[in-house]
């Protein structure tokens, strides 16, 4: 989308202001379907930092996710520009990648379609 969907921006702002991680959402971005739960940016950044910190090779990158996070971030009168997913999967056929869920950051302006809810596939 060239102009971010105002309703999606409002949903993201509510997640940010309430510090909630219970809003399930499914979005289409560049043809990929991503489904999961939204998290406030600060919570998302902290979790990514924790995961990287535990890695021998990627540990030095952990500080990038927490350094300067309050500067220029939404919450100071600016609307959110990104969705921060956790426990998220990219849906491919009847498989969610990764199976356990991952951490994804998606620009709201790039979302071409969305729906409330987390899609799951079951092989029957």
């Amino acid at each position: 989308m060239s102009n971010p969907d105002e309703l999606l921006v409002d949903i993201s702002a509510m997640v940010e202001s309430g510090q909630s991680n219970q809003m399930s959402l499914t979005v289409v971005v560049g043809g990929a379907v991503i489904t999961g739960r939204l998290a406030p940016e600060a919570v998302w950044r902290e979790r990514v930092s924790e995961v990287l910190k535990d890695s021998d090779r990627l540990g030095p990158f952990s500080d990038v996710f927490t350094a300067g996070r309050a500067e220029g971030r939404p919450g100071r009168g600016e609307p959110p520009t990104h969705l921060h997913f956790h426990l998220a999967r990219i849906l491919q056929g009847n498989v969610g990648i990764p199976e356990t869920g991952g951490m994804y950051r998606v620009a709201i302006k790039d979302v071409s379609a969305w729906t409330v809810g987390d899609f799951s596939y079951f092989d029957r």
Side-chain angles (χ1 to χ4, degrees):
M1 292 181 164
S2 57
N3 295 320
D5 183 318
E6 289 181 25
L7 185 53
L8 196 52
V9 170
D10 289 346
I11 289 169
S12 182
M14 284 191 71
V15 170
E16 290 294 327
S17 68
Q19 300 293 301
S20 171
N21 63 0
Q22 298 303 308
M23 181 60 177
S24 296
L25 196 69
T26 300
V27 297
V28 177
V29 180
V33 177
I34 300 173
T35 189
R37 288 199 322 227
L38 295 179
E41 181 177 1
V43 172
W44 183 88
R45 284 174 169 266
E46 187 64 35
R47 180 65 184 125
V48 171
S49 177
E50 289 170 4
V51 169
L52 292 175
K53 197 177 293 184
D54 291 340
S55 170
D56 292 335
R57 293 182 298 150
L58 301 176
F61 291 96
S62 69
D63 290 341
V64 171
F65 287 88
T66 55
R69 65 180 172 199
E71 300 171 17
R73 301 282 178 238
R76 296 184 170 197
E78 298 176 28
T81 58
H82 290 78
L83 301 170
H84 296 87
F85 284 93
H86 71 113
L87 301 175
R89 297 171 316 283
I90 296 174
L91 300 181
Q92 178 67 38
N94 64 350
V95 176
I97 305 167
E99 287 183 19
T100 57
M103 306 289 285
Y104 296 99
R105 176 178 161 109
V106 175
I108 294 172
K109 68 179 179 60
D110 294 337
V111 174
S112 59
W114 62 275
T115 189
V116 172
D118 184 359
F119 283 92
S120 298
Y121 285 97
F122 297 98
D123 189 18
R124 294 185 182 168

